[in-house]
Amino acid sequence: MIPAPFEYEVASSADHAIELLGRFGEDAKLLAGGHSLLPLMKLRLSTPSALVDIGRIGELDYVRDGGDHVAIGALTRHEDVHFNELLRRENPLVAHTAGEVGDPQVRHRGTIGGSISHGDPASDLPTVMVALDATFVLRGPNGERTVAAGDFFKSFFETELGHQEILTEVRVPKLAGAGWSYQKFHPRAQDWAIVGVAALVAPSNGQPGRTAVALTHMGETPLRARAVEQALGSGSDPADAAEQALEGTSPPSDAQASAEYRNHLAKVLTRRAIEEARSR
């Protein structure tokens, strides 16, 4: 299908993008790589009045050491995140998951900030950010503010971003030897996850330590599996803890899978993710 008519303008900087969003109004959308937004526009599921193209803003394309964290510019391509040596050393969970996004074409055009800002509950990187307790830097006409990943995703395609704000930076913690895993089930490499599970196990005197678990495509947002974490903290083994993965979820039934099938996958992938994270 053909998208509905819209205006289009290229932003030369982050501040210029904020200015353009103010000029075009609340129905305007940011365009980075376009691999999430454009398919929705073609299906008329999204009909923005204007697109503000931020894909050429070089100041938002970087990966830097931030001391206790790694800072990733919002316009860093998935492929660059995947192969970045700093991330592979300090937070391999993010680097690995970026390499699981779509196919090579998507990874060479899509950006980490675009994936997060889009707020799709079937997307991989938002789930990882929730498991990591990452922090997002948002910039608007009143300056910058930071938002925890767990507070950023509000509902289906709805985030904490104000209509005149842009995501400029993603801050992820250094893992310092923690075990990690991202398990994903999808029919083809370019497909969205039917279900995905991110797990992080912090070391604790040679024993399995605190575990963070988050779920992809099991609700309207990426979800933290708190019941699983509590079970593990009480001494449950991965298989028993994974039985708690469905608490607080509301998986959809769609052309890819039924809610019942997603429920089954969530338990299986949660167990696998915990086991892999503990084995690293």
Side-chain angles (χ1 to χ4, degrees), residues 37-133:
L37 177 60
L38 293 182
L40 292 181
M41 291 176 62
K42 289 181 179 180
L43 293 172
R44 300 288 179 105
L45 297 175
S46 180
T47 55
S49 60
L51 293 183
V52 176
D53 189 340
I54 61 172
R56 307 173 205 185
I57 302 177
E59 67 185 270
L60 300 182
D61 181 2
Y62 59 83
V63 178
R64 299 171 183 160
D65 192 323
D68 63 347
H69 66 273
V70 178
I72 310 169
L75 290 182
T76 307
R77 309 290 179 185
H78 297 311
E79 194 76 352
D80 294 330
V81 172
H82 176 48
F83 286 107
N84 183 266
E85 289 300 325
L86 177 62
L87 280 169
R88 288 193 163 198
R89 182 173 68 251
E90 300 291 357
N91 195 314
L93 174 56
V94 171
H96 167 80
T97 306
E100 294 292 304
V101 175
D103 54 23
Q105 180 181 2
V106 170
R107 291 194 294 273
H108 278 88
R109 288 293 302 165
T111 65
I112 187 170
S115 177
I116 291 168
S117 298
H118 194 54
D120 191 333
S123 187
D124 305 302
L125 284 165
T127 300
V128 167
M129 297 301 156
V130 169
L132 287 169
D133 292 319

Side-chain angles (χ1 to χ4, degrees), residues 60-251:
L60 300 182
D61 181 2
Y62 59 83
V63 178
R64 299 171 183 160
D65 192 323
D68 63 347
H69 66 273
V70 178
I72 310 169
L75 290 182
T76 307
R77 309 290 179 185
H78 297 311
E79 194 76 352
D80 294 330
V81 172
H82 176 48
F83 286 107
N84 183 266
E85 289 300 325
L86 177 62
L87 280 169
R88 288 193 163 198
R89 182 173 68 251
E90 300 291 357
N91 195 314
L93 174 56
V94 171
H96 167 80
T97 306
E100 294 292 304
V101 175
D103 54 23
Q105 180 181 2
V106 170
R107 291 194 294 273
H108 278 88
R109 288 293 302 165
T111 65
I112 187 170
S115 177
I116 291 168
S117 298
H118 194 54
D120 191 333
S123 187
D124 305 302
L125 284 165
T127 300
V128 167
M129 297 301 156
V130 169
L132 287 169
D133 292 319
T135 300
F136 304 147
V137 180
L138 314 184
R139 188 187 304 177
N142 298 319
E144 288 188 343
R145 63 186 179 114
T146 58
V147 178
D151 297 326
F152 183 77
F153 302 100
K154 297 299 185 183
S155 185
F156 190 63
F157 292 116
E158 181 183 349
T159 70
E160 178 65 18
L161 274 171
H163 87 273
Q164 205 175 344
E165 286 186 313
I166 65 172
L167 172 65
T168 58
E169 185 174 276
V170 177
R171 296 173 180 171
V172 297
K174 296 181 178 180
L175 295 189
W180 57 271
S181 176
Y182 185 68
Q183 297 285 327
K184 174 181 179 180
F185 185 82
H186 51 154
R188 302 172 300 169
Q190 65 265 42
D191 289 336
W192 297 104
I194 292 179
V195 172
V197 179
L200 185 70
V201 177
S204 177
N205 298 321
Q207 301 297 320
R210 182 185 66 83
T211 304
V213 179
L215 308 174
T216 302
H217 217 169
M218 287 296 292
E220 293 187 344
T221 67
L223 299 173
R224 192 74 175 259
R226 299 290 185 184
V228 174
E229 297 172 2
Q230 291 170 5
L232 291 167
S234 299
S236 296
D237 62 28
D240 288 338
E243 291 297 313
Q244 308 302 314
L246 305 186
E247 184 172 314
T249 65
S250 54

